[in-house]
Amino acid sequence: MSETKLTKDAIAILSGGDAAAESDIRPVLQVADIRLVKTQNQTTTERYRILLSDGSFTQQGMLATQQNDLVRSEKLQKGSIVKLTQFVCNFIQNRMIVIIVNLDVLVEKCDPIGEPKPYPTKNDWSTSSTARQATPGQPVNQPASGGINPSSIGSGSAPHVPPSGEDQSASSSSHGCSFPSSKDSRSYNTANASPKYPKTEYGSGVLRAHVKNPPQLSYHQPPHQTLANRGLIAPRIIPIAALNPFQGGWTIKARVTSKGDLRRYTNTKGDGKVFSFDLLDSDGGEIKATCFNVVADKFHPQIELGRVYMISNGSVQRAKENFNHLPNEREIFLNSFSTVQPCFEDDKSIPHQQFHFLPISDIENLARDRNVDIIGIVSSISPSSSIMRKNGTETQKRTLQLKDMSGRSVELTLWGNFCNAEGQTLQKMLDSGLFPVLAVKSGRVNDFNGKSVGTTFNSQFFIEPDFPEAQRLKTWFDGEGKSTPAISISRGTSMVNVRKTVSQIKDEKLGTLDKPDWITVSATLTYIKVDNFCYTACPIMIGDRQCNKKVTENGDGKWRCEKCDGIVDKCDYRYILQMQIQDHTGTTWVTAFQESGEEIMGISAKDLCTLKHDEQDDVKFAELLRSVLFTKFLFKLKVKEEIFNDEARVKSTVVKAEKVNLQTQSRYLLDSMAKFKDEDLGTLPPPKSEISFQHLGRTLGNLCPSLMSGPSAYGNSNVTPGIYGMARYQRVG
Amino acid sequence: MDTSNPALFVNAELLRMHVGRRVRTVIQVLRSDSGGSVIGNSTDGQQLVIKGHPPGPLSTFVEVIGIADSNQSIRADIWNNFGDVLDTASYNVVCQLANGDYKHLFI
């Protein structure tokens, strides 16, 4: 079977460092040995060292962590025959290591084929030996017998032939490797006079040994890597996916997909500057690159969005979760040894941007603060408003609704600059009747009111982009999307439609948790406090809204606002209604402000005030009040516990008051009755029959609206509607 | 309040079960015959004949209370105008509940 035939001379070819041949071949090799290597600082990462054989020779390799599962599940084991599909050959101090990014396991179990010997390198024995003496007493010439001894990684493995002078210097300038033990990755590169060859790339064992290493400054290690030096060599470009902390001397060729600003920050260590940008290469790998202080100053002007650069010798580290918005566990930190070289001819193979779009319906399941790319049709946009931030600064905020093929819509919040720039463009488009496609990269999921998405420093907007997804969206929208109502996952429906009875507010201790509870209660307005139903409010506009703070009389007929520190001639009158609402379970006090107040009273606060104070028309006032009292409403309440002088009180504010729609109400009641029959639990405390009785009665009452409204031929005018229903059908026994 | 003669909630379906008894139902008026009857649609879509003289102008929906004559007619004593808007589906469900699980609440 051809599978068991190992690619002849594969090792020689790989070791030969023939770049062209390397990228074409997919060698079939046998795994002569596998060892687990533990790293010191990142204790969770395991890396597997693989000794590859082509039947004649063996070669060292490292398995990319993505493939670790193959070893763990024993698909990949000693003796397995594998075909390397994606790999990189790197030369570290004249030794070659094959970094295996992707491979196919052709045969899981197989006896060793041939008697492979470690591939010799035509290295300078003496220097290499002393240089690489990892463990004392380990003779350098001794080839690693079969197994790979992690501690002797520096030496034990047989010296390899450095393919050519070039690669040697390339590898020699590879002190980009990190010392796993040293947390500060930058320091490793600051040419420590001692270990010039950070051979710690593969294991902690090595590091220990290193300390004893006599500094070998001379032979093949120029102290710093210079651009000139680099320019002579064709740098070995590796895919971003192959970047790992253990290996230095890498170069990547990638396009800048996002460029951050040069930002200042202050932390416990003092002030600093940070600058970061995102890179995308031709394989689709993405990674974020960050630099601080001096390095940031140096690179910030050099990096241009959309251009391709060759970047080398940064430090590859694990990415910090809260700043990471790319699908890569690692990020690059550039330092004074890193180089950034612009590529003058654009590399067409590198895409300009890469998205991982999620349908809006999936956002519902995402945790907050997750980064997400979305694309959708903008169905509406609201004007900018000013928001005060926690640190006292003001910023702009704008919201828009995005709708996509999943039938869901989500609220997208634009912050800061997005409001003015992109926000304006979108507004204009919507005003002219267009519904543009908007793609957002790196939006952040927020779970404030249902799920919504907000922009961050790293977000990018693409209006009417040219992607296939955009085309599909447009076709969908023009077809059915325009008319399909999208269910909004923002302002979560679950929050608002929770129906409760008045007694439940107290029983279930609503509002006592951190967040306020939003509930809907169907109740009757039984009392309104007449003394202070409105207050004098400041009409001065702050941004988009009115100040609305209480103003006091100035003495000379003008009104003064403390917050705005302004004086106005005429103040605004706004409702502040203290009312009692009642349902079949109990009664409670609620407060209604301007908007809901107007809905309830049916008359503006100003007019009502004039009626009472100026015209002193008590009769009319009383009449109005009486007409409003004892009407049934569907109140949307915000219940929250507040502390007043050491006393905690649960206050309910009316957010919205709607006249009860009898039909929906009846349906609701009938539904709850049906639910009752199915399960005995139910949310209402009283026993079944009583509830059903009340429900039925109310349903019947609801069915005859004409009978309920005021005095009419058949009803009793002085009986409240609810009771009417029940009284008629009450039966004793 | 006179509770001696309770009238059951029925629709056309349930009417046949209570022939001869006092019932009440709501119909949507289709036409009035001069001969003293009104033809209407019950809440479950069947036609019923209501015998009697309505006291005045009828709205679209009328509740009639009386003795059930046959499967499809009622001799009405009381006529109540229910206005022009009614959720017939809800009324229908109420009829079914009143005759089914919750009969004990009504009779």
Side-chain angles (χ1 to χ4, degrees), chain A residues 113-176:
Chain A
I113 298 175
E115 277 191 21
K117 312 249 180 321
Y119 197 79
T121 61
K122 45 176 182 346
N123 201 13
D124 193 0
W125 282 96
S126 53
T127 48
S128 65
S129 59
T130 41
R132 296 216 212 93
Q133 185 161 16
T135 39
Q138 172 111 312
V140 178
N141 309 9
Q142 180 186 23
S145 41
I148 305 166
N149 194 351
S151 65
S152 64
I153 175 177
S155 60
S157 41
H160 297 287
V161 183
S164 56
E166 308 177 349
D167 289 303
Q168 189 166 26
S169 46
S171 66
S172 60
S173 42
S174 65
H175 40 239

Side-chain angles (χ1 to χ4, degrees), chain B residues 7-87:
Chain B
L8 257 182
F9 278 91
V10 297
N11 53 18
E13 217 21 73
L14 299 160
L15 184 59
R16 67 194 69 228
M17 298 199 307
H18 301 289
V19 175
R21 288 209 269 247
R22 197 168 170 77
V23 294
R24 76 195 315 151
T25 188
V26 167
I27 55 154
Q28 182 181 10
V29 177
L30 290 175
R31 63 179 183 277
S32 320
D33 275 347
S34 53
S37 64
V38 171
I39 315 288
N41 258 345
S42 72
T43 52
D44 52 350
Q46 293 180 31
Q47 271 201 14
L48 296 176
V49 179
I50 314 295
K51 299 188 187 134
H53 293 276
L58 293 177
S59 60
T60 315
F61 289 95
V62 178
E63 183 192 42
V64 290
I65 309 174
I67 311 289
D69 260 2
S70 71
N71 278 359
Q72 284 178 330
S73 69
I74 301 175
R75 225 176 345 151
D77 312 329
I78 306 178
W79 301 70
N80 291 329
N81 268 346
F82 263 32
D84 297 328
V85 175
L86 186 77
D87 185 4

Side-chain angles (χ1 to χ4, degrees), chain A residues 401-473:
Chain A
Q401 295 287 338
L402 264 189
K403 184 158 129 166
D404 80 346
M405 289 189 276
S406 63
R408 296 272 198 282
S409 83
V410 69
E411 187 179 278
L412 179 69
T413 311
L414 288 70
W415 295 95
N417 286 337
F418 281 106
C419 296
N420 306 329
E422 283 85 348
Q424 266 312 99
T425 324
L426 288 170
Q427 174 96 57
K428 280 209 200 87
M429 294 174 97
L430 276 159
D431 285 341
S432 42
L434 290 175
F435 290 100
V437 180
L438 176 66
V440 180
K441 180 151 176 75
S442 288
R444 179 172 289 184
V445 175
N446 192 348
D447 67 354
F448 174 57
N449 251 345
K451 289 270 175 354
S452 59
V453 179
T455 60
T456 64
F457 283 123
N458 295 307
S459 305
Q460 286 184 0
F461 271 31
F462 296 87
I463 305 183
E464 293 280 345
D466 201 13
F467 314 135
E469 288 95 345
Q471 300 303 335
R472 269 184 282 156
L473 259 178

